[in-house]
Every structure is written in C-alpha cells, then in structure tokens.
C-alpha cells in the first residue's frame, strides 16, 4: 500500500493523496489580474492527480508584488479575475486549489526572470519598496523604506481582506508566505529586521507581525478553514533565522490556529550557503514535525516516486511539495502511481490513455 497515495487531512480538508503542487510565480498577470495563461497553466496542473494545487504568490496590495506581473487579490477586479479562473478549472477538476498570500517587502519591484529579474526603480515601471528596516537585499539597488506602525497595521488588515476574498473566490486553503526572504520572513530574520520597537529584537518581537497576520486571517475565514504558513526553515546564513527559531515559530503559530507548515529554505540573503541535493530541506520539515506535531509539507528537489514515498512513508513529513518536477512533467502523479502500484484520478476524457500493464491506475 502506497502511503504517498493515501488520503490525509490538511486542517479540515481531506486531500486524496500526499502530493502538493508548490506555489510557482508565473509573472503573467496585468495589474494583478489573472489572465488566460493562468487558466491554461492551472487548468493543466489541475488534471495531474495531485492532492492540492497551491497557486503562486498572490499579493495583498500592489506594492507587495514581486514583479509588476504578479497576481493580486486586493480589489473586486482581481478577485473576480481569479474567481473566473477557479470556476473554469473546477468545471473540469475537483482538485482543491489553495492560494499563497504574499507581500514581497524589500524584494518587490523586480522584472520578469526571463528579462533578467533585476530590481526596477520607480522610473522604470517599479516602485519604492518597504521593509521592516532600511536594509536592502544585497544585490538590489533600491534600498527599502522602513514600515511605520501604521503601515504594519494596514498590512495586517490587507492580509485579512485578501483572505476574505480568497474564500469568496473559491480557494480551499490559504498559505501565508513567510519564506524566501519576502516580507514576513524579513520580519522573522535578524539579518533583515533591525527594528528597535516591539516588532524587532527578541524572537518574540520578530514573530509579532507574522503572528498578527495569522490572527487576522484566521478571524476572516470560516471556522476550520485551512490556514498555514510557508517558512524558510533556515536562512542558510551564520547568525540568521534557523531551525530552532522555526520550531519556536511553528509552536506559536500552531497555538494560534495554524493548520500546517510548508517548510522551505533560504531566499533572505545573497550570502546563503545552500547544501543543494535531493531532499536537502526535508530535515527542516522533519524537525518542525517532530518538535511540534503540526502537519508539514516538505519541499525541495523531491523528484522521484520512491523518494516521495519514503518521505511520507517514514513520517518525515505528511506531504511532499513539488515545483520544478511537476512543471517538467505535469502527469508526475500518474507516473508515480503507476510506479508504486497505486491509483490516481484522471479526467474522463483521458481514461483511454491508461497503459495496459497498469489496468488499475485510474481510480
Ligand atoms: C517557476 C517557479 C516559481 C516559483 N514561485 C514561487 C512562489 O510563488 N512562492 C513560493 O513560495 N515559492 C516559489 N517557488 C519555489 C517553489 O515553490 C519550490 O519551493 C522550489 O522550486 C523547490 O522545489 P522543487 O525542487 O520541487 O522545484 C517557485 C519555483 C519555481 C521553479
């Protein structure tokens, strides 16, 4: 019996299997509005048989976009555009779709990666960026302005408002983006947070903003609605955010009603030294799970069916997140199920593609 293809709870949501499509920015929105690209891209991933699809970092206000081409969920128009994409996708797939709510802070206002990804100043289609402290991301030319307490209160409210929109638009779960050096991570890490008020200094103070966001989002969604965090388990930098602080954060978030931790790594500093290789971030997810018991998603260079099966089979994590491997092969779950002798859901229109030797592949 494959554990990878057994159902499991993510909060109140039952996922058909342990495979989660990790959020992936598409840099293909205009003014925050989802486009036909999103219908095509999410539509085909929704036919993949995965347990959950989490869509790309979606900004809670225009200045929180990583690039001018990011999705947004800050207005009736951006909500309607995403609701349309979800309605089209759900007409043909019952795969639950979650959203990653985000603010990029000092890493905002960059170009599309295929155009170099450099930071854009206000005179080049970009904007003045903001962060906990006036400390820029090393390689970026435009230093951030520090957020005032009023700004912080406005941002907490913006996350809450976007959460309400996410529920209305038809998303089944919310992942709060606290990873990869974006705004909430900038508050958590002592490398980027040099504040001297109640939002900086001690671990308790650095956690204050992300936990306030969690409280506000929790209060804005129906009871039992799945809400969790994506975090970087470590900055991979000496003296930065690390796994001990991640465990403490997971404890605090769990106590305030977080349902899951999606444990990634890095992205905060250009000085990071990442020991890249298969499973390189799995020990971070395992530590969070072992120490807190919270539901976890492990992610990072998980590419092979046996590898994914081993991670959930040995209890290192409850779910695996796949990004590049499932873009490369959007039927990854079908091939994994065939390999592991399990079953997976396929659309009726494709049932005849089942290879003869896998006669029980399509459930
Ligand atoms: C094209 C692309 C876009 C990404 N966009 C996001 C994003 O919006 N939010 C996020 O948290 N991570 C993002 N990531 C990181 C992935 O979710 C994932 O954590 C990372 O690629 C490692 O997993 P993998 O080895 O399976 O690709 C992105 C990765 C790729 C390849």
């Amino acid at each position: 019996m494959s554990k990878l293809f057994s159902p499991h709870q993510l909060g109140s949501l039952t996922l058909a299997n342990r495979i989660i499509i990790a959020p992936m920015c598409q840099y293909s929105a205009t003014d925050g509005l989802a486009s036909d690209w999103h219908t095509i891209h999410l539509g085909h991933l929704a036919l993949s048989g995965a347990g959950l699809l989490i869509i790309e970092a979606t900004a809670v206000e225009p200045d929180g976009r990583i690039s001018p081409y990011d999705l947004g969920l800050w207005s009736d128009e951006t909500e309607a555009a995403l609701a349309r994409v979800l309605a089209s996708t759900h007409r043909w797939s019952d795969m639950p779709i979650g959203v990653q709510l985000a603010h990029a802070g000092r890493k905002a206002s960059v170009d599309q990666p295929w155009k170099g990804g450099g930071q854009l100043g206000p005179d080049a289609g970009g904007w003045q960026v903001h962060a906990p402290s006036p400390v820029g991301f090393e390689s970026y030319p435009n230093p951030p302005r520090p957020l005032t307490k009023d700004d912080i209160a406005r941002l907490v409210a913006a996350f809450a408002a976007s959460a309400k929109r996410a529920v209305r638009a038809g998303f089944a779960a919310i992942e709060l983006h606290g990873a990869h050096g974006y705004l909430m991570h900038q508050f958590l890490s002592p490398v980027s947070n040099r504040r001297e008020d109640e939002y900086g200094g001690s671990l308790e103070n650095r956690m204050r903003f992300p936990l306030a966001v969690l409280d506000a989002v929790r209060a804005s969604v129906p009871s039992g609605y799945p809400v969790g965090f994506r975090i970087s388990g470590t900055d991979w930098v000496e003296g930065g955010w690390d796994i001990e602080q991640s465990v403490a954060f997971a404890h605090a978030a769990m106590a305030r009603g977080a349902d899951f931790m999606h444990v990634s790594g890095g992205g905060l500093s250009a000085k990071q030294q990442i020991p890249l290789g298969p499973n390189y971030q799995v020990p971070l997810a395992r530590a969070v799970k072992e120490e807190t018991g919270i539901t976890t998603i492990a992610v990072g260079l998980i590419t092979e069916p046996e590898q994914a099966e081993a991670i959930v089979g040995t209890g290192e994590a409850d779910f695996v997140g796949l990004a590049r491997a499932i873009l490369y092969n959007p039927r990854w779950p079908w091939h994994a199920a065939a390999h592991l002798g399990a079953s997976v859901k396929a659309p009726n229109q494709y049932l005849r593609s089942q290879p003869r030797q896998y006669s029980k592949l399509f459930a």
Side-chain angles (χ1 to χ4, degrees):
M1 271 296 285
S2 162
K3 196 95 182 260
L4 187 63
F5 284 91
S6 64
H8 198 65
Q9 294 295 123
L10 186 78
S12 60
L13 195 61
T14 305
L15 306 191
N17 58 54
R18 312 301 185 91
I19 303 165
I20 292 182
I21 304 178
M24 283 182 274
C25 281
Q26 297 299 297
Y27 309 98
S28 302
T30 307
D31 297 329
L33 300 167
S35 67
D36 287 354
W37 173 257
H38 296 93
T39 309
I40 294 169
H41 163 69
L42 299 170
H44 89 111
L45 290 177
L47 305 179
S48 69
L52 174 71
L53 165 56
I54 305 178
I55 74 158
E56 66 190 85
T58 298
V60 299
E61 65 167 20
D63 285 6
R65 290 172 296 170
I66 300 168
S67 80
Y69 315 99
D70 285 25
L71 283 181
L73 201 40
W74 61 68
S75 61
D76 291 348
E77 292 74 23
T78 51
E79 179 185 329
L82 272 173
R84 271 195 302 277
V85 172
L86 288 191
S88 301
T89 308
H90 281 317
R91 207 164 293 136
W92 301 106
S93 164
D94 61 4
M95 183 187 295
I97 302 180
V99 63
Q100 184 182 55
L101 293 183
H103 193 294
R106 68 179 190 166
K107 283 180 75 178
S109 188
V110 302
D111 211 349
Q112 288 155 318
W114 53 86
K115 290 189 184 148
Q119 199 175 37
L120 303 168
D123 50 350
W127 54 90
Q128 171 63 51
V129 300
H130 289 83
S133 305
V135 184
F137 186 67
E138 289 92 335
S139 57
Y140 285 8
N142 304 312
R145 289 210 186 116
L147 293 162
T148 65
K149 287 193 197 171
D150 283 350
D151 291 331
I152 292 174
R154 176 179 50 77
L155 287 171
V156 169
F159 271 95
S162 293
K164 281 192 187 138
R165 293 188 184 281
V167 174
R168 267 203 309 262
F171 287 107
I174 291 175
E175 176 175 283
L176 299 169
H177 199 350
H180 302 167
Y182 295 112
L183 185 64
M184 286 198 264
H185 187 181
Q186 290 160 32
F187 271 91
L188 291 172
S189 175
V191 173
S192 44
N193 185 343
R194 311 274 173 81
R195 294 179 76 95
E196 289 176 358
D197 62 4
E198 68 266 35
Y199 292 98
S202 67
L203 174 61
E204 191 187 353
N205 282 357
R206 282 180 279 122
M207 297 194 309
R208 196 177 304 282
F209 171 66
L211 292 176
V213 168
L214 172 63
D215 287 346
V217 165
R218 257 273 153 256
S220 305
V221 299
S223 119
Y225 185 91
V227 176
F229 269 102
R230 191 171 227 210
I231 57 167
S232 283
T234 171
D235 287 343
W236 305 114
V237 172
E238 190 74 39
W241 181 253
D242 57 20
I243 188 61
E244 286 75 28
Q245 295 172 81
S246 295
V247 166
F249 182 65
H251 267 301
M254 201 176 164
R256 294 159 91 137
D259 293 304
F260 64 92
M261 286 282 154
H262 190 169
V263 188
S264 186
L268 189 99
S269 166
K271 297 196 184 83
Q272 62 189 11
Q273 297 289 331
I274 306 181
L276 263 187
N279 284 10
Y280 69 107
Q281 293 175 153
V282 174
L284 303 171
R286 188 181 59 220
V288 168
K289 185 167 177 55
E290 270 174 11
E291 299 289 331
T292 68
I294 196 166
T295 300
T296 51
I297 308 167
V299 67
L301 283 179
I302 300 167
T303 57
E304 305 306 318
E306 302 283 8
Q307 180 192 6
E309 179 68 33
I311 292 165
V312 296
T314 59
E316 290 188 291
D318 298 289
F319 295 96
V320 290
L322 302 184
R324 289 164 292 183
I326 205 159
L327 267 197
Y328 185 66
N329 174 8
R331 304 278 186 266
W332 191 97
W334 295 15
H335 296 281
H339 184 78
L340 298 168
S343 297
V344 69
K345 192 157 186 177
N348 292 336
Q349 294 89 333
Y350 292 176
L351 290 178
R352 286 167 69 187
S353 71
Q354 178 174 268
R356 190 182 279 184
Q357 68 272 32
Y358 303 123
S359 60
K360 300 209 164 49
L361 177 58
F362 293 150

